[in-house]
Amino acid sequence: MSDPNQPADPTGGVPPQQPAGSQQPPYGGQQPPYGAPQQPYAAQQPYAAPAAPLDAEQDKQWAAFSHLGGILWFLPSLIIWLVFKDRGAKTDVEAKEALNWQITWIIGWVLSQMIGLVLGAIPLVGGIGYLLFSLLIPWALYVVNLVLSILGFIRVNGGGTYRYPMNFRFIK
């Protein structure tokens, strides 16, 4: 029975249908009700577009920062190389160079510490050896790292390239 106060429903209570080519998400774009069939995960999450290549200025900037990051140890160079190696040719080359230098520097630092500990165990000369190899040489290595990292930053930021002296190329 229909209510005389209500206007007549021309569709007869049937909800309107979507046109054939329409792609509206089910449930009005909201979370489906509990128990409703789920779409596969690949259909739910579209793939992210690949990152855009760096322009020349950005490429130079990140390449320079990879050298300057050596002041803070190897992590900045590693992160810059992993994130930007496929997006800029200059960044790839310079970040690899900076990362290789950081690895070389860390090896030198660890070796000096080990030599200092070994020499520290020798009676009579142990104190001098420990002082030299565990305190003074690591500080000198840090100063060398600081100076070379800043020089690399300045050279690359100016548009050139930089190669560290005595750098082992672990990452090709």
Side-chain angles (χ1 to χ4, degrees), residues 66 73-84 95 98-99 102-103 171:
S66 68
W73 225 27
F74 73 95
L75 278 178
S77 301
L78 176 64
I79 292 169
I80 290 170
W81 181 64
L82 290 175
V83 171
F84 295 108
L99 184 57
Q102 293 305 313
I103 294 169
I171 301 171

Side-chain angles (χ1 to χ4, degrees), residues 108-123:
W109 185 84
V110 167
L111 285 175
S112 74
Q113 293 294 314
M114 290 178 9
I115 292 170
L117 289 175
V118 169
L119 290 178
I122 299 173

Side-chain angles (χ1 to χ4, degrees), residues 3 32 44 48 67 69 81 86 107-108 122 136-137 141 152 166 170:
D3 186 9
Q44 292 176 358
H67 288 285
W81 181 64
D86 297 328
I107 290 171
I122 299 173
L136 297 178
I137 290 179
L141 287 174
M166 300 235 353
F170 297 104

Side-chain angles (χ1 to χ4, degrees), residues 81-94:
W81 181 64
L82 290 175
V83 171
F84 295 108
K85 67 180 178 181
D86 297 328
R87 296 179 58 195
K90 186 175 189 84
T91 301
D92 180 38
V93 170
E94 297 298 328

